Amino acid sequence: MAAEWGYSPTNGPDVWARLFPQAGGARQSPVDICTSIASSDSNLEMKKLTFAYESQSDLRILNTGHGWKVEAPQSGSRLEGGPLGEDIYQLEQFHCHWGETSAEGSEHTVDGRAYAGELHLVHWNTTKYQSFAEAAQHPDGLAVLGVFFDVGNESNDEIEKIVSTLSEIKFKGQFTDIPDVIDPTTFLPSGLGYWTYLGSLTTPPCNECVIWIVYKEPITVTEEQLVQFRCLSACSGEAEEFIVKNYRPPQPLGNRALRECNA
Ligand SMILES: Cc1ccn(O)c(=O)c1
Ligand SMILES: [Zn+2]
């Protein structure tokens, strides 16, 4: 039975490549965003990144054993423009990465600085591919919007809708429906400037199929909300092994272009 990957010293990011060869590739994510080498590109300003999401209720949230994930296949959603060429990408799911304390937790870092967490809105290329699974096999198959979390005093109402369900999915494999209406647009910061580069999934099998779009401006969550994330269990049974961290550290950017758009 393949060893279960995770984030501990014996099954974490340092050893993923043994079981998942792509994890050792040259186009891996996350990366440290070195702002001094980010190049602005007028094409990104001209072809504005646009998104349109539906508000949905009864979305299913599950405990994957590596965190929470909201399944949000939205045939009516559209992410296009910016670095996405002529293709239209559709929302599939969103989830989050966090750390043991709020001093860490994001996957991407900015000039070496980590944020307290990072939300990923995962989309797939419906112009070229017939399914999410097929898209994940191609270099332009997925587009992931990354949004950093800063810790502040105001609770994030949309994140609170997620937090309020976590007691029902304490154990790996459990799922429930989020009764509240979720509007993914509310997860996005007010300032829409972003960095973009070609990368990968940040969890095994680490397919090199993602066009990353990481917003510069963080959104705010509270420490209490992050504490609730850390109470999820990585196990399905009684043995409680809390998911206190589920972020992959930055990988080499290599000779990849890092572009920015100050929308
Ligand atoms: C599809 C996928 C899987 C894992 N992660 O972390 C992502 O951000 C996207
Ligand atoms: Zn992710």
Side-chain angles (χ1 to χ4, degrees), residues 5 7 69 92-93 95-97 107 118-123 132 136 142 144-145 200-206 209-210 212 246:
W5 62 268
Y7 294 90
K69 176 170 81 167
E92 174 73 9
Q93 52 105 327
H95 62 273
C96 194
H97 301 268
E107 299 211 295
E118 188 172 329
L119 175 74
H120 288 162
L121 294 151
V122 181
H123 307 71
F132 176 87
L142 304 189
V144 182
L145 298 184
S200 72
L201 305 185
T202 61
T203 58
C206 298
C209 64
V210 180
W212 277 97
N246 58 3

Tab-separated table of all heavy atoms in Angstrom, residues 5 7 69 92-93 95-97 107 118-123 132 136 142 144-145 200-206 209-210 212 246, ligand 1:
chain	number	residue	atom	x	y	z
A	5	TRP	N	1.042	10.082	1.960
A	5	TRP	CA	1.855	11.290	2.039
A	5	TRP	C	1.220	12.237	3.060
A	5	TRP	O	0.036	12.150	3.385
A	5	TRP	CB	1.982	11.967	0.679
A	5	TRP	CG	0.673	12.443	0.096
A	5	TRP	CD1	-0.153	11.754	-0.734
A	5	TRP	CD2	0.063	13.726	0.315
A	5	TRP	NE1	-1.262	12.527	-1.039
A	5	TRP	CE2	-1.146	13.735	-0.415
A	5	TRP	CE3	0.401	14.870	1.051
A	5	TRP	CZ2	-2.005	14.847	-0.434
A	5	TRP	CZ3	-0.447	15.973	1.036
A	5	TRP	CH2	-1.629	15.948	0.305
A	7	TYR	N	2.562	15.740	5.937
A	7	TYR	CA	3.427	16.890	6.197
A	7	TYR	C	4.349	16.642	7.375
A	7	TYR	O	4.911	17.579	7.947
A	7	TYR	CB	2.548	18.134	6.435
A	7	TYR	CG	1.778	18.548	5.192
A	7	TYR	CD1	0.514	18.031	4.938
A	7	TYR	CD2	2.345	19.399	4.238
A	7	TYR	CE1	-0.179	18.375	3.783
A	7	TYR	CE2	1.658	19.746	3.075
A	7	TYR	CZ	0.395	19.222	2.857
A	7	TYR	OH	-0.294	19.549	1.709
A	69	LYS	N	-11.901	20.813	2.096
A	69	LYS	CA	-12.046	21.128	0.670
A	69	LYS	C	-13.527	21.300	0.366
A	69	LYS	O	-14.335	20.445	0.737
A	69	LYS	CB	-11.464	20.028	-0.211
A	69	LYS	CG	-11.680	20.272	-1.702
A	69	LYS	CD	-10.899	19.297	-2.576
A	69	LYS	CE	-11.556	17.983	-2.729
A	69	LYS	NZ	-10.955	17.166	-3.828
A	92	GLU	N	-13.756	24.601	-9.809
A	92	GLU	CA	-13.966	23.192	-9.444
A	92	GLU	C	-14.061	23.002	-7.942
A	92	GLU	O	-14.931	22.324	-7.434
A	92	GLU	CB	-12.798	22.347	-9.990
A	92	GLU	CG	-12.818	20.884	-9.572
A	92	GLU	CD	-13.895	20.083	-10.273
A	92	GLU	OE1	-14.535	20.613	-11.216
A	92	GLU	OE2	-14.142	18.936	-9.847
A	93	GLN	N	-13.130	23.609	-7.212
A	93	GLN	CA	-13.119	23.441	-5.762
A	93	GLN	C	-12.278	24.538	-5.132
A	93	GLN	O	-11.508	25.210	-5.834
A	93	GLN	CB	-12.551	22.065	-5.376
A	93	GLN	CG	-11.202	21.713	-5.989
A	93	GLN	CD	-10.049	21.802	-5.037
A	93	GLN	OE1	-10.033	22.643	-4.118
A	93	GLN	NE2	-9.036	20.965	-5.249
A	95	HIS	N	-9.998	25.330	-1.284
A	95	HIS	CA	-9.472	24.764	-0.048
A	95	HIS	C	-8.443	25.741	0.503
A	95	HIS	O	-8.218	26.804	-0.067
A	95	HIS	CB	-8.838	23.389	-0.303
A	95	HIS	CG	-7.691	23.475	-1.245
A	95	HIS	ND1	-7.843	23.407	-2.632
A	95	HIS	CD2	-6.382	23.711	-1.020
A	95	HIS	CE1	-6.669	23.568	-3.180
A	95	HIS	NE2	-5.771	23.762	-2.250
A	96	CYS	N	-7.773	25.313	1.558
A	96	CYS	CA	-6.889	26.244	2.239
A	96	CYS	C	-5.652	25.529	2.785
A	96	CYS	O	-5.673	24.313	3.008
A	96	CYS	CB	-7.711	26.816	3.396
A	96	CYS	SG	-6.990	28.225	4.112
A	97	HIS	N	-4.576	26.289	2.953
A	97	HIS	CA	-3.352	25.783	3.587
A	97	HIS	C	-3.057	26.671	4.793
A	97	HIS	O	-3.298	27.889	4.745
A	97	HIS	CB	-2.185	25.821	2.598
A	97	HIS	CG	-2.442	25.012	1.357
A	97	HIS	ND1	-2.069	23.695	1.234
A	97	HIS	CD2	-3.090	25.324	0.203
A	97	HIS	CE1	-2.424	23.246	0.036
A	97	HIS	NE2	-3.070	24.207	-0.600
A	107	GLU	N	1.619	29.009	1.354
A	107	GLU	CA	2.524	28.175	0.544
A	107	GLU	C	3.474	29.099	-0.218
A	107	GLU	O	4.700	28.975	-0.115
A	107	GLU	CB	1.699	27.312	-0.411
A	107	GLU	CG	0.759	26.367	0.368
A	107	GLU	CD	0.512	25.072	-0.345
A	107	GLU	OE1	-0.099	25.091	-1.431
A	107	GLU	OE2	0.942	24.020	0.159
A	118	GLU	N	-3.271	30.446	3.213
A	118	GLU	CA	-3.458	30.714	1.776
A	118	GLU	C	-4.654	29.914	1.276
A	118	GLU	O	-4.716	28.700	1.468
A	118	GLU	CB	-2.191	30.334	1.006
A	118	GLU	CG	-2.182	30.728	-0.458
A	118	GLU	CD	-0.814	30.504	-1.112
A	118	GLU	OE1	0.222	30.611	-0.417
A	118	GLU	OE2	-0.794	30.204	-2.311
A	119	LEU	N	-5.589	30.640	0.657
A	119	LEU	CA	-6.787	30.038	0.073
A	119	LEU	C	-6.508	29.770	-1.407
A	119	LEU	O	-5.888	30.607	-2.084
A	119	LEU	CB	-7.965	31.029	0.197
A	119	LEU	CG	-9.283	30.644	-0.445
A	119	LEU	CD1	-9.968	29.554	0.384
A	119	LEU	CD2	-10.197	31.849	-0.548
A	120	HIS	N	-6.913	28.614	-1.884
A	120	HIS	CA	-6.753	28.270	-3.310
A	120	HIS	C	-8.115	28.038	-3.956
A	120	HIS	O	-8.873	27.167	-3.510
A	120	HIS	CB	-5.889	27.008	-3.449
A	120	HIS	CG	-4.457	27.255	-3.141
A	120	HIS	ND1	-3.556	26.252	-2.841
A	120	HIS	CD2	-3.747	28.411	-3.078
A	120	HIS	CE1	-2.363	26.779	-2.619
A	120	HIS	NE2	-2.452	28.092	-2.753
A	121	LEU	N	-8.399	28.826	-4.966
A	121	LEU	CA	-9.620	28.647	-5.773
A	121	LEU	C	-9.175	27.953	-7.063
A	121	LEU	O	-8.462	28.538	-7.880
A	121	LEU	CB	-10.274	29.998	-6.068
A	121	LEU	CG	-10.839	30.732	-4.828
A	121	LEU	CD1	-10.805	32.243	-5.012
A	121	LEU	CD2	-12.259	30.277	-4.532
A	122	VAL	N	-9.563	26.688	-7.216
A	122	VAL	CA	-9.027	25.825	-8.278
A	122	VAL	C	-9.996	25.774	-9.462
A	122	VAL	O	-11.186	25.470	-9.292
A	122	VAL	CB	-8.796	24.403	-7.737
A	122	VAL	CG1	-8.207	23.503	-8.817
A	122	VAL	CG2	-7.902	24.442	-6.498
A	123	HIS	N	-9.465	26.094	-10.645
A	123	HIS	CA	-10.276	26.135	-11.878
A	123	HIS	C	-9.639	25.219	-12.923
A	123	HIS	O	-8.439	24.977	-12.898
A	123	HIS	CB	-10.315	27.560	-12.451
A	123	HIS	CG	-10.750	28.619	-11.499
A	123	HIS	ND1	-9.964	29.046	-10.441
A	123	HIS	CD2	-11.897	29.342	-11.421
A	123	HIS	CE1	-10.607	29.994	-9.779
A	123	HIS	NE2	-11.785	30.190	-10.341
A	132	PHE	N	-11.966	17.808	-15.371
A	132	PHE	CA	-10.906	18.290	-14.475
A	132	PHE	C	-9.721	17.329	-14.531
A	132	PHE	O	-8.570	17.743	-14.660
A	132	PHE	CB	-11.474	18.390	-13.047
A	132	PHE	CG	-10.452	18.783	-12.030
A	132	PHE	CD1	-10.190	20.119	-11.790
A	132	PHE	CD2	-9.745	17.826	-11.328
A	132	PHE	CE1	-9.240	20.502	-10.854
A	132	PHE	CE2	-8.795	18.197	-10.391
A	132	PHE	CZ	-8.539	19.530	-10.157
A	136	ALA	N	-5.906	18.214	-15.697
A	136	ALA	CA	-4.762	18.148	-14.766
A	136	ALA	C	-3.564	17.419	-15.362
A	136	ALA	O	-2.495	17.363	-14.753
A	136	ALA	CB	-5.190	17.484	-13.458
A	142	LEU	N	-4.959	23.753	-15.507
A	142	LEU	CA	-5.608	24.353	-14.329
A	142	LEU	C	-5.160	25.792	-14.136
A	142	LEU	O	-4.056	26.178	-14.536
A	142	LEU	CB	-5.266	23.560	-13.064
A	142	LEU	CG	-5.569	22.057	-13.008
A	142	LEU	CD1	-5.359	21.532	-11.584
A	142	LEU	CD2	-6.961	21.730	-13.493
A	144	VAL	N	-5.147	28.364	-10.717
A	144	VAL	CA	-5.466	28.471	-9.289
A	144	VAL	C	-5.243	29.905	-8.830
A	144	VAL	O	-4.177	30.488	-9.084
A	144	VAL	CB	-4.626	27.507	-8.433
A	144	VAL	CG1	-5.035	27.630	-6.951
A	144	VAL	CG2	-4.803	26.063	-8.907
A	145	LEU	N	-6.289	30.485	-8.209
A	145	LEU	CA	-6.174	31.812	-7.608
A	145	LEU	C	-5.719	31.598	-6.161
A	145	LEU	O	-6.378	30.861	-5.415
A	145	LEU	CB	-7.525	32.542	-7.613
A	145	LEU	CG	-8.174	32.856	-8.965
A	145	LEU	CD1	-9.455	33.666	-8.749
A	145	LEU	CD2	-7.221	33.571	-9.891
A	200	SER	N	2.744	24.121	-10.423
A	200	SER	CA	2.192	22.764	-10.239
A	200	SER	C	1.161	22.737	-9.112
A	200	SER	O	0.984	23.715	-8.389
A	200	SER	CB	3.339	21.812	-9.857
A	200	SER	OG	3.765	22.086	-8.509
A	201	LEU	N	0.546	21.562	-8.965
A	201	LEU	CA	-0.212	21.298	-7.740
A	201	LEU	C	0.787	21.352	-6.595
A	201	LEU	O	1.953	20.982	-6.770
A	201	LEU	CB	-0.810	19.886	-7.790
A	201	LEU	CG	-1.680	19.505	-8.993
A	201	LEU	CD1	-2.267	18.118	-8.763
A	201	LEU	CD2	-2.736	20.525	-9.261
A	202	THR	N	0.355	21.766	-5.426
A	202	THR	CA	1.281	21.825	-4.288
A	202	THR	C	1.117	20.609	-3.382
A	202	THR	O	1.680	20.565	-2.292
A	202	THR	CB	1.038	23.099	-3.453
A	202	THR	OG1	-0.317	23.047	-2.953
A	202	THR	CG2	1.241	24.349	-4.280
A	203	THR	N	0.327	19.642	-3.852
A	203	THR	CA	0.232	18.374	-3.124
A	203	THR	C	0.439	17.253	-4.135
A	203	THR	O	0.202	17.442	-5.334
A	203	THR	CB	-1.168	18.184	-2.485
A	203	THR	OG1	-2.149	18.246	-3.523
A	203	THR	CG2	-1.454	19.239	-1.436
A	204	PRO	N	0.884	16.094	-3.663
A	204	PRO	CA	1.070	14.966	-4.592
A	204	PRO	C	-0.204	14.711	-5.389
A	204	PRO	O	-1.312	14.889	-4.850
A	204	PRO	CB	1.367	13.796	-3.651
A	204	PRO	CG	2.053	14.448	-2.489
A	204	PRO	CD	1.326	15.751	-2.311
A	205	PRO	N	-0.116	14.351	-6.663
A	205	PRO	CA	1.121	14.003	-7.395
A	205	PRO	C	1.905	15.193	-7.950
A	205	PRO	O	2.830	14.996	-8.712
A	205	PRO	CB	0.588	13.132	-8.544
A	205	PRO	CG	-0.796	13.626	-8.784
A	205	PRO	CD	-1.337	14.069	-7.459
A	206	CYS	N	1.545	16.424	-7.576
A	206	CYS	CA	2.333	17.621	-7.961
A	206	CYS	C	2.425	17.793	-9.476
A	206	CYS	O	3.478	18.197	-9.993
A	206	CYS	CB	3.723	17.572	-7.334
A	206	CYS	SG	3.669	17.570	-5.528
A	209	CYS	N	0.770	21.432	-14.024
A	209	CYS	CA	-0.396	21.761	-14.876
A	209	CYS	C	-1.097	23.041	-14.472
A	209	CYS	O	-2.227	23.293	-14.916
A	209	CYS	CB	-1.390	20.608	-14.773
A	209	CYS	SG	-2.050	20.409	-13.099
A	210	VAL	N	-0.448	23.861	-13.635
A	210	VAL	CA	-1.162	25.015	-13.053
A	210	VAL	C	-0.589	26.350	-13.525
A	210	VAL	O	0.625	26.571	-13.475
A	210	VAL	CB	-1.106	24.982	-11.504
A	210	VAL	CG1	-1.862	26.185	-10.920
A	210	VAL	CG2	-1.694	23.679	-10.962
A	212	TRP	N	-0.556	29.750	-12.113
A	212	TRP	CA	-0.792	30.351	-10.792
A	212	TRP	C	-1.052	31.835	-10.919
A	212	TRP	O	-0.385	32.541	-11.693
A	212	TRP	CB	0.411	30.108	-9.869
A	212	TRP	CG	0.342	28.753	-9.237
A	212	TRP	CD1	0.970	27.599	-9.642
A	212	TRP	CD2	-0.427	28.393	-8.093
A	212	TRP	NE1	0.626	26.557	-8.829
A	212	TRP	CE2	-0.224	27.013	-7.859
A	212	TRP	CE3	-1.281	29.112	-7.228
A	212	TRP	CZ2	-0.839	26.331	-6.814
A	212	TRP	CZ3	-1.881	28.426	-6.182
A	212	TRP	CH2	-1.662	27.066	-5.986
A	246	ASN	N	-0.385	22.207	6.772
A	246	ASN	CA	-0.576	21.507	5.493
A	246	ASN	C	-0.077	22.392	4.353
A	246	ASN	O	-0.729	22.516	3.313
A	246	ASN	CB	-2.049	21.116	5.293
A	246	ASN	CG	-2.965	22.319	5.326
A	246	ASN	OD1	-2.504	23.461	5.436
A	246	ASN	ND2	-4.263	22.091	5.208
B	1	LIG	C1	-5.836	20.570	-7.621
B	1	LIG	C2	-5.072	21.033	-6.400
B	1	LIG	C3	-4.628	20.107	-5.474
B	1	LIG	C4	-3.947	20.555	-4.341
B	1	LIG	N1	-3.716	21.886	-4.149
B	1	LIG	O1	-3.085	22.322	-3.017
B	1	LIG	C5	-4.124	22.813	-5.040
B	1	LIG	O2	-3.888	23.997	-4.775
B	1	LIG	C6	-4.818	22.376	-6.210
